[in-house]
Amino acid sequence: MYFESTLAQKARKFFRLVLGRYAFPPRDITLEVTTRCPRGCAVCFRGPLGVVPADMPRELFTKTLSEIRAAYAGRGPRYLNFVGLGEPFCRPDLPELLREAAAALPATELNLSTGLLPFDAAAFEALVKDGVINRLSVSLDGPEEGGPFHGFSAEVGKSFSALRLIKRKYPGFKIRVQTLITSRPAVEDAVRYAAELGAEEIQLMRVDLHAFGDAPPAVRPAFAEERAIVGAAKKLAAGLGLACRNNNVYDLFMDIAGRGGRRCLISDDHVFITAAGDVIPCFYLREFKFGNLSRQTLAEACAARKEKNLYGNQERLCRGCDIYRKEHAA
């Protein structure tokens, strides 16, 4: 959540990155409540990483909330993100989980990321009405069926129509559309769709293929083409009253702190908690574990970050990651 931080928070992040330190408690926490997903997108990392379908046990979820609350001395982070290598709506008890999180961490904004397949519109509208969920991040890579990306379908279109009605009833509820930088027509279609949906923001994300080795399931645009796509999307979004941000671009200070692509720009103040309770740097580095919340506290797991020396192992672990390499489209 770098772009929504205060100047003082950004300054602290800069010096943490420069000095190779970590924030505790972590400002940005992601919970993976399930690794189940019905889509089977070709560019998903679940296959190459060997991730099997599983749900976070309910007792582990409750303990995780307790650990977060304890780390924040009874309060909580500004944001808690429900996302991972799975579709959160695959859990029938997702509304119960979100309500439990809202009750345990009343000062925390809950952000849910989804592909809207499946989608229980009635249950979700009740969450919005009660102020449980603050923002929904929706993946959309053009309103056309097929392809290796987040495929569109009649069922997904129906979910988007339901979401559009919810947004009209509750305009204070925020929607962010996330789209991969695939082609100019697809990205511009996604921008128009986001505006029609009533979204506040569209986030452009680079197609990441580094998990697939020498056999990627798709081709991504060259850097020059990416820059042209991003520029056209920003111009179109501005005309539609929509904020547009490229997820791979920060600013000069973060480029300096990242040492020209030699230091991860998120791991200083972020932890990812898998469905099994493992505390890891990000959803990709699933074997680089700081600890596990079924056996440890969050404080104990986070304390192991320095000993594990992620920054010293990045060249081996993070090769190919665009956040790490910083070869971004402007």
Side-chain angles (χ1 to χ4, degrees), residues 16 19 47 52 69 73 75 82 95 103 115 123 158 165 172 174 176 218 222-223 232 235 240 250 254 258 327:
R16 280 197 304 270
L19 298 172
V52 298
R69 183 178 171 85
R75 296 174 62 252
F82 288 76
K158 183 178 178 181
L165 293 175
K174 297 178 182 178
R176 177 175 63 191
F223 290 132
K235 183 177 180 180
L240 296 172
Y250 288 86
M254 289 290 276
E327 294 177 354

mmCIF file of all heavy atoms in Angstrom, residues 16 19 47 52 69 73 75 82 95 103 115 123 158 165 172 174 176 218 222-223 232 235 240 250 254 258 327:
data_model
loop_
_atom_site.group_PDB
_atom_site.id
_atom_site.type_symbol
_atom_site.label_atom_id
_atom_site.label_comp_id
_atom_site.label_asym_id
_atom_site.label_seq_id
_atom_site.Cartn_x
_atom_site.Cartn_y
_atom_site.Cartn_z
ATOM 1 N N ARG A 16 14.437 1.697 5.741
ATOM 2 C CA ARG A 16 14.447 0.247 5.995
ATOM 3 C C ARG A 16 15.072 -0.491 4.824
ATOM 4 O O ARG A 16 15.895 -1.403 5.002
ATOM 5 C CB ARG A 16 13.022 -0.267 6.238
ATOM 6 C CG ARG A 16 12.483 -0.044 7.630
ATOM 7 C CD ARG A 16 11.264 -0.924 7.905
ATOM 8 N NE ARG A 16 10.209 -0.713 6.919
ATOM 9 C CZ ARG A 16 9.226 0.186 7.036
ATOM 10 N NH1 ARG A 16 9.182 0.971 8.111
ATOM 11 N NH2 ARG A 16 8.300 0.308 6.111
ATOM 12 N N LEU A 19 18.859 0.135 4.552
ATOM 13 C CA LEU A 19 19.620 -0.520 5.624
ATOM 14 C C LEU A 19 19.357 -2.019 5.725
ATOM 15 O O LEU A 19 19.990 -2.699 6.538
ATOM 16 C CB LEU A 19 19.291 0.150 6.963
ATOM 17 C CG LEU A 19 19.658 1.640 7.062
ATOM 18 C CD1 LEU A 19 19.117 2.238 8.349
ATOM 19 C CD2 LEU A 19 21.168 1.836 6.957
ATOM 20 N N GLY A 47 0.234 -24.223 -10.657
ATOM 21 C CA GLY A 47 0.769 -25.434 -11.273
ATOM 22 C C GLY A 47 2.268 -25.574 -11.107
ATOM 23 O O GLY A 47 2.750 -26.563 -10.525
ATOM 24 N N VAL A 52 -1.392 -27.373 -3.995
ATOM 25 C CA VAL A 52 -2.564 -28.250 -4.031
ATOM 26 C C VAL A 52 -3.765 -27.528 -3.410
ATOM 27 O O VAL A 52 -3.595 -26.656 -2.548
ATOM 28 C CB VAL A 52 -2.299 -29.567 -3.269
ATOM 29 C CG1 VAL A 52 -1.165 -30.328 -3.935
ATOM 30 C CG2 VAL A 52 -1.959 -29.299 -1.807
ATOM 31 N N ARG A 69 -3.678 -9.144 15.933
ATOM 32 C CA ARG A 69 -4.162 -8.213 16.948
ATOM 33 C C ARG A 69 -3.118 -8.024 18.054
ATOM 34 O O ARG A 69 -2.861 -6.893 18.499
ATOM 35 C CB ARG A 69 -5.468 -8.741 17.539
ATOM 36 C CG ARG A 69 -6.123 -7.823 18.552
ATOM 37 C CD ARG A 69 -7.440 -8.411 19.038
ATOM 38 N NE ARG A 69 -7.976 -7.653 20.149
ATOM 39 C CZ ARG A 69 -8.720 -6.565 20.024
ATOM 40 N NH1 ARG A 69 -9.024 -6.117 18.817
ATOM 41 N NH2 ARG A 69 -9.166 -5.924 21.083
ATOM 42 N N ALA A 73 -0.841 -4.638 19.393
ATOM 43 C CA ALA A 73 -1.252 -4.218 20.737
ATOM 44 C C ALA A 73 -2.760 -3.972 20.814
ATOM 45 O O ALA A 73 -3.220 -2.960 21.355
ATOM 46 C CB ALA A 73 -0.482 -2.970 21.166
ATOM 47 N N ARG A 75 -4.883 -3.518 18.308
ATOM 48 C CA ARG A 75 -5.483 -2.756 17.217
ATOM 49 C C ARG A 75 -5.422 -3.577 15.930
ATOM 50 O O ARG A 75 -6.103 -4.560 15.797
ATOM 51 C CB ARG A 75 -4.768 -1.409 17.064
ATOM 52 C CG ARG A 75 -4.934 -0.506 18.295
ATOM 53 C CD ARG A 75 -4.119 0.758 18.208
ATOM 54 N NE ARG A 75 -4.524 1.598 17.074
ATOM 55 C CZ ARG A 75 -3.786 1.758 15.971
ATOM 56 N NH1 ARG A 75 -2.595 1.176 15.873
ATOM 57 N NH2 ARG A 75 -4.223 2.524 14.987
ATOM 58 N N PHE A 82 -7.107 -10.141 1.605
ATOM 59 C CA PHE A 82 -7.516 -11.531 1.413
ATOM 60 C C PHE A 82 -7.274 -11.898 -0.050
ATOM 61 O O PHE A 82 -8.088 -11.602 -0.928
ATOM 62 C CB PHE A 82 -8.989 -11.714 1.779
ATOM 63 C CG PHE A 82 -9.260 -11.656 3.251
ATOM 64 C CD1 PHE A 82 -9.265 -10.446 3.928
ATOM 65 C CD2 PHE A 82 -9.486 -12.820 3.985
ATOM 66 C CE1 PHE A 82 -9.506 -10.382 5.292
ATOM 67 C CE2 PHE A 82 -9.726 -12.769 5.350
ATOM 68 C CZ PHE A 82 -9.730 -11.549 6.003
ATOM 69 N N PRO A 95 -18.052 -15.159 4.007
ATOM 70 C CA PRO A 95 -18.675 -14.057 4.749
ATOM 71 C C PRO A 95 -18.438 -14.146 6.256
ATOM 72 O O PRO A 95 -18.209 -13.120 6.915
ATOM 73 C CB PRO A 95 -20.160 -14.197 4.402
ATOM 74 C CG PRO A 95 -20.169 -14.858 3.061
ATOM 75 C CD PRO A 95 -19.026 -15.832 3.119
ATOM 76 N N ALA A 103 -14.625 -7.927 13.166
ATOM 77 C CA ALA A 103 -14.869 -7.822 14.608
ATOM 78 C C ALA A 103 -13.566 -7.822 15.396
ATOM 79 O O ALA A 103 -13.421 -7.094 16.391
ATOM 80 C CB ALA A 103 -15.763 -8.975 15.063
ATOM 81 N N GLY A 115 -11.637 -13.057 -8.748
ATOM 82 C CA GLY A 115 -11.936 -13.126 -10.166
ATOM 83 C C GLY A 115 -13.424 -13.251 -10.404
ATOM 84 O O GLY A 115 -13.871 -13.448 -11.535
ATOM 85 N N ALA A 123 -24.844 -12.559 -0.530
ATOM 86 C CA ALA A 123 -24.013 -12.590 0.674
ATOM 87 C C ALA A 123 -23.007 -11.445 0.662
ATOM 88 O O ALA A 123 -22.745 -10.817 1.703
ATOM 89 C CB ALA A 123 -23.284 -13.927 0.779
ATOM 90 N N LYS A 158 -22.174 -12.183 -15.584
ATOM 91 C CA LYS A 158 -23.312 -12.072 -14.671
ATOM 92 C C LYS A 158 -22.856 -11.563 -13.297
ATOM 93 O O LYS A 158 -23.534 -10.733 -12.671
ATOM 94 C CB LYS A 158 -23.989 -13.434 -14.529
ATOM 95 C CG LYS A 158 -25.237 -13.428 -13.668
ATOM 96 C CD LYS A 158 -25.866 -14.827 -13.619
ATOM 97 C CE LYS A 158 -27.093 -14.839 -12.719
ATOM 98 N NZ LYS A 158 -27.702 -16.204 -12.654
ATOM 99 N N LEU A 165 -24.514 -3.397 -9.783
ATOM 100 C CA LEU A 165 -25.717 -2.980 -9.048
ATOM 101 C C LEU A 165 -25.396 -2.692 -7.580
ATOM 102 O O LEU A 165 -25.936 -1.745 -6.989
ATOM 103 C CB LEU A 165 -26.788 -4.061 -9.156
ATOM 104 C CG LEU A 165 -27.379 -4.295 -10.557
ATOM 105 C CD1 LEU A 165 -28.341 -5.482 -10.538
ATOM 106 C CD2 LEU A 165 -28.078 -3.035 -11.057
ATOM 107 N N GLY A 172 -20.151 4.369 -1.663
ATOM 108 C CA GLY A 172 -18.968 4.522 -0.820
ATOM 109 C C GLY A 172 -18.070 3.300 -0.812
ATOM 110 O O GLY A 172 -16.902 3.375 -0.406
ATOM 111 N N LYS A 174 -15.598 0.694 -2.367
ATOM 112 C CA LYS A 174 -14.581 0.927 -3.390
ATOM 113 C C LYS A 174 -14.310 -0.336 -4.225
ATOM 114 O O LYS A 174 -14.284 -1.447 -3.700
ATOM 115 C CB LYS A 174 -13.276 1.386 -2.740
ATOM 116 C CG LYS A 174 -13.397 2.712 -1.998
ATOM 117 C CD LYS A 174 -12.095 3.081 -1.329
ATOM 118 C CE LYS A 174 -12.207 4.375 -0.549
ATOM 119 N NZ LYS A 174 -10.931 4.713 0.142
ATOM 120 N N ARG A 176 -11.537 -1.733 -7.203
ATOM 121 C CA ARG A 176 -10.318 -1.572 -8.000
ATOM 122 C C ARG A 176 -10.248 -2.721 -9.001
ATOM 123 O O ARG A 176 -10.334 -3.892 -8.618
ATOM 124 C CB ARG A 176 -9.073 -1.587 -7.110
ATOM 125 C CG ARG A 176 -7.769 -1.484 -7.903
ATOM 126 C CD ARG A 176 -6.566 -1.379 -6.989
ATOM 127 N NE ARG A 176 -6.396 -2.557 -6.163
ATOM 128 C CZ ARG A 176 -5.550 -2.619 -5.128
ATOM 129 N NH1 ARG A 176 -4.840 -1.555 -4.789
ATOM 130 N NH2 ARG A 176 -5.433 -3.721 -4.419
ATOM 131 N N ALA A 218 2.446 -18.111 -22.325
ATOM 132 C CA ALA A 218 2.010 -16.921 -23.046
ATOM 133 C C ALA A 218 3.231 -16.067 -23.353
ATOM 134 O O ALA A 218 4.320 -16.297 -22.827
ATOM 135 C CB ALA A 218 1.004 -16.125 -22.210
ATOM 136 N N ALA A 222 6.960 -6.605 -25.409
ATOM 137 C CA ALA A 222 8.284 -6.060 -25.132
ATOM 138 C C ALA A 222 8.129 -4.760 -24.351
ATOM 139 O O ALA A 222 7.053 -4.161 -24.320
ATOM 140 C CB ALA A 222 9.033 -5.818 -26.436
ATOM 141 N N PHE A 223 9.217 -4.302 -23.735
ATOM 142 C CA PHE A 223 9.145 -3.130 -22.870
ATOM 143 C C PHE A 223 8.604 -1.903 -23.599
ATOM 144 O O PHE A 223 7.785 -1.159 -23.058
ATOM 145 C CB PHE A 223 10.521 -2.817 -22.285
ATOM 146 C CG PHE A 223 10.987 -3.828 -21.275
ATOM 147 C CD1 PHE A 223 12.258 -4.371 -21.346
ATOM 148 C CD2 PHE A 223 10.151 -4.230 -20.249
ATOM 149 C CE1 PHE A 223 12.681 -5.305 -20.414
ATOM 150 C CE2 PHE A 223 10.570 -5.166 -19.310
ATOM 151 C CZ PHE A 223 11.836 -5.705 -19.398
ATOM 152 N N ALA A 232 -1.307 4.780 -23.259
ATOM 153 C CA ALA A 232 -2.645 4.872 -23.847
ATOM 154 C C ALA A 232 -3.720 4.609 -22.804
ATOM 155 O O ALA A 232 -4.768 5.276 -22.786
ATOM 156 C CB ALA A 232 -2.768 3.878 -24.998
ATOM 157 N N LYS A 235 -4.171 7.650 -20.490
ATOM 158 C CA LYS A 235 -4.875 8.730 -21.184
ATOM 159 C C LYS A 235 -6.370 8.440 -21.268
ATOM 160 O O LYS A 235 -7.208 9.313 -20.995
ATOM 161 C CB LYS A 235 -4.288 8.913 -22.582
ATOM 162 C CG LYS A 235 -4.913 10.056 -23.365
ATOM 163 C CD LYS A 235 -4.238 10.221 -24.724
ATOM 164 C CE LYS A 235 -4.861 11.366 -25.509
ATOM 165 N NZ LYS A 235 -4.211 11.546 -26.836
ATOM 166 N N LEU A 240 -12.043 9.171 -18.662
ATOM 167 C CA LEU A 240 -13.228 8.525 -18.094
ATOM 168 C C LEU A 240 -13.361 8.776 -16.592
ATOM 169 O O LEU A 240 -14.236 8.204 -15.945
ATOM 170 C CB LEU A 240 -13.181 7.018 -18.379
ATOM 171 C CG LEU A 240 -13.247 6.611 -19.852
ATOM 172 C CD1 LEU A 240 -12.986 5.112 -20.016
ATOM 173 C CD2 LEU A 240 -14.619 6.961 -20.441
ATOM 174 N N TYR A 250 7.248 2.723 -9.204
ATOM 175 C CA TYR A 250 7.156 3.427 -7.925
ATOM 176 C C TYR A 250 7.590 4.875 -8.132
ATOM 177 O O TYR A 250 6.886 5.660 -8.719
ATOM 178 C CB TYR A 250 8.021 2.713 -6.884
ATOM 179 C CG TYR A 250 7.436 1.390 -6.450
ATOM 180 C CD1 TYR A 250 7.688 0.223 -7.170
ATOM 181 C CD2 TYR A 250 6.619 1.309 -5.333
ATOM 182 C CE1 TYR A 250 7.142 -0.993 -6.775
ATOM 183 C CE2 TYR A 250 6.078 0.099 -4.925
ATOM 184 C CZ TYR A 250 6.337 -1.047 -5.649
ATOM 185 O OH TYR A 250 5.800 -2.242 -5.258
ATOM 186 N N MET A 254 12.204 5.059 -4.378
ATOM 187 C CA MET A 254 12.131 3.602 -4.279
ATOM 188 C C MET A 254 13.126 2.932 -5.215
ATOM 189 O O MET A 254 13.680 1.868 -4.909
ATOM 190 C CB MET A 254 10.708 3.134 -4.575
ATOM 191 C CG MET A 254 9.716 3.469 -3.480
ATOM 192 S SD MET A 254 9.980 2.490 -1.979
ATOM 193 C CE MET A 254 9.078 1.005 -2.423
ATOM 194 N N GLY A 258 15.836 0.435 -3.824
ATOM 195 C CA GLY A 258 15.925 -0.912 -4.375
ATOM 196 C C GLY A 258 17.270 -1.241 -4.971
ATOM 197 O O GLY A 258 17.471 -2.350 -5.474
ATOM 198 N N GLU A 327 12.748 -3.778 -13.942
ATOM 199 C CA GLU A 327 12.754 -3.458 -15.372
ATOM 200 C C GLU A 327 11.314 -3.189 -15.774
ATOM 201 O O GLU A 327 10.660 -3.979 -16.444
ATOM 202 C CB GLU A 327 13.337 -4.617 -16.188
ATOM 203 C CG GLU A 327 14.809 -4.857 -15.920
ATOM 204 C CD GLU A 327 15.338 -6.059 -16.678
ATOM 205 O OE1 GLU A 327 14.524 -6.749 -17.315
ATOM 206 O OE2 GLU A 327 16.529 -6.307 -16.634
#
